Amino acid sequence: MDMKKCKTITEDVILAYLAQKSETVKSSTLWSMYSMLKSTILVKKNVNIATFPKVIAFLKRKNVGYKAKKSEVFSSEQINKFIREADNETYLMLKVATIIGLAGACRREELTKMSIDLINDKEDMLLVKIPDSKTHIERNFVVIGQENLLLYRQYLSLRPSHTPHNRLFVNYKKGKCSIQPVGIHSFGNLGLRIAEFLNLPNPKNYTGHSMRRTSATIFADNGGNITNLKRHGGWKSTNVAEGYIDNSLTNKIKIAKTIQKLSDENNQYETETLPSCSDYKRHLNIPSISNKLNPFNISNCSNFTINLNINKN
């Protein structure tokens, strides 16, 4: 506005600004910039740019054909292989982070801030609480499995007694823990470290968000509905949760089976082809029909009547 000497925030001003930025940034970034502008301008200038229809239309048009780049997802088999085969002396902390991150669909910042005070260790489970998340929704989840619990307790037993903070994850190296907490960038490389151990192609495509996407995908693949999925991941947006349901392999197989079942039911009716009308009188009487009406074809006929006697019992 200073450069163009504009004094009033109008729809054309916002549209011109976003149009200029669209030449150098992606569609997803444009939406982020619009969101920040909307909040800031509403607070500072008391102008609600959400009421500008041309701006919304412009953003939607720019979003056409754009495909967001997402983190790769691990399979259940790959996660189990890492937990069972990776060396504890090197990967114990990563194993525990994987177990908790997968059970609670945790973001990297949630793993970073996770406190031992919010983990209740029962004999047969861990009750974990995330008091505040990105969407400000409190979440609770459970970690089960004897092997998972043993790994967690082993890692916790190595925690130095003089650790001055309550953060769960502290640096781990060569079988020993230090008092230094694990930073958010280390959890950002969690997926990369697992992918490298498993020798997966393109390991850099596995990021800190892979664990959250993996958790949601496995949940959806095993029949989780959208309501429970939103609770599991703490999503407010139904569209985000629906994406996991829509992309679920199990859901696609279920749809395919439903279609195939209908196709099979249609194919079970055998088609009978009756002789041409020249072999019958003008009035064609079919004496009886079984409980299941079998379709039949009549060809080369005109001006004739078919009488059907159907026993409704």
Side-chain angles (χ1 to χ4, degrees):
M1 289 177 66
D2 290 338
M3 291 174 60
K4 303 296 182 180
K5 297 181 180 181
C6 299
K7 296 182 179 180
T8 306
I9 297 177
T10 64
E11 186 173 27
D12 289 338
V13 170
I14 301 299
L15 196 60
Y17 175 75
L18 293 177
Q20 184 182 27
K21 291 296 182 181
S22 68
E23 298 176 0
T24 56
V25 301
K26 296 179 181 179
S27 173
S28 57
T29 306
L30 275 182
W31 278 104
S32 298
M33 296 175 68
Y34 165 76
S35 180
M36 290 186 288
L37 284 173
K38 181 174 65 175
S39 300
T40 304
I41 293 175
L42 184 61
V43 172
K44 300 290 186 180
K45 302 293 183 180
N46 196 29
V47 176
N48 186 9
I49 66 173
T51 61
F52 296 165
K54 291 182 181 179
V55 174
I56 302 298
F58 171 78
L59 291 172
K60 289 182 177 180
R61 188 169 66 251
K62 285 294 182 181
N63 199 49
V64 173
Y66 173 73
K67 186 176 181 180
K69 186 177 180 181
K70 297 181 179 180
S71 302
E72 293 288 345
V73 173
F74 295 102
S75 67
S76 299
E77 293 76 14
Q78 290 169 338
I79 293 295
N80 290 333
K81 182 178 180 180
F82 170 71
I83 292 176
R84 291 174 182 173
E85 297 183 8
D87 181 19
N88 284 350
E89 188 170 350
T90 304
Y91 294 98
L92 181 59
M93 189 276 291
L94 295 179
K95 284 185 178 183
V96 176
T98 299
I99 291 168
I100 294 179
L102 187 66
C106 297
R107 302 176 177 89
R108 59 176 188 167
E109 57 266 25
E110 293 170 348
L111 290 173
T112 304
K113 298 177 181 178
M114 188 162 291
S115 170
I116 58 175
D117 299 333
L118 299 178
I119 300 178
N120 189 0
D121 189 353
K122 304 286 187 178
E123 290 185 2
D124 57 346
M125 69 180 70
L126 299 177
L127 302 179
V128 185
K129 178 181 179 181
I130 299 178
D132 190 19
S133 64
K134 181 180 178 181
T135 53
H136 309 293
I137 297 177
E138 181 178 300
R139 303 205 317 276
N140 297 275
F141 61 92
V142 174
V143 177
I144 60 174
Q146 195 61 33
E147 184 178 0
N148 294 336
L149 298 179
L150 288 175
L151 290 171
Y152 167 78
R153 290 163 184 161
Q154 180 183 349
Y155 176 68
L156 198 63
S157 67
L158 298 174
R159 182 186 182 88
S161 58
H162 60 282
T163 304
H165 55 81
N166 291 328
R167 295 254 291 270
L168 169 63
F169 292 105
V170 293
N171 282 336
Y172 177 83
K173 188 175 182 180
K174 295 182 179 180
K176 295 182 180 180
C177 288
S178 67
I179 64 173
Q180 183 179 2
V182 179
I184 190 171
H185 295 297
S186 295
F187 287 116
N189 291 326
L190 176 60
L192 172 64
R193 296 283 302 277
I194 297 173
E196 287 178 339
F197 173 82
L198 297 173
N199 293 320
L200 299 179
N202 302 317
K204 291 184 179 180
N205 292 339
Y206 295 85
T207 68
H209 199 63
S210 290
M211 203 53 57
R212 180 169 169 81
R213 297 196 68 239
T214 297
S215 179
T217 301
I218 292 176
F219 184 86
D221 277 344
N222 285 279
N225 60 47
I226 191 168
T227 301
N228 290 332
L229 181 59
K230 288 175 68 176
R231 290 174 182 167
H232 174 61
W235 287 290
K236 290 182 178 179
S237 170
T238 300
N239 291 336
V240 174
E242 282 180 344
Y244 291 100
I245 298 292
D246 292 340
N247 293 325
S248 166
L249 178 60
T250 301
N251 193 48
K252 292 181 183 296
I253 293 174
K254 182 179 179 181
I255 294 172
K257 286 182 177 180
T258 302
I259 296 173
Q260 186 64 48
K261 181 179 179 181
L262 292 175
S263 178
D264 290 341
E265 288 178 351
N266 290 334
N267 290 334
Q268 71 180 345
Y269 299 106
E270 296 180 358
T271 301
E272 294 184 20
T273 303
L274 298 182
S276 63
C277 288
S278 60
D279 298 330
Y280 292 90
K281 296 181 180 179
R282 183 177 179 185
H283 293 279
L284 180 63
N285 294 302
I286 300 178
S288 65
I289 292 181
S290 61
N291 293 335
K292 184 188 297 182
L293 180 61
N294 295 324
F296 54 87
N297 296 327
I298 298 177
S299 60
N300 301 323
C301 300
S302 63
N303 299 323
F304 68 94
T305 302
I306 297 178
N307 297 321
L308 301 179
N309 297 318
I310 300 176
N311 185 0
K312 295 184 178 179
N313 296 327

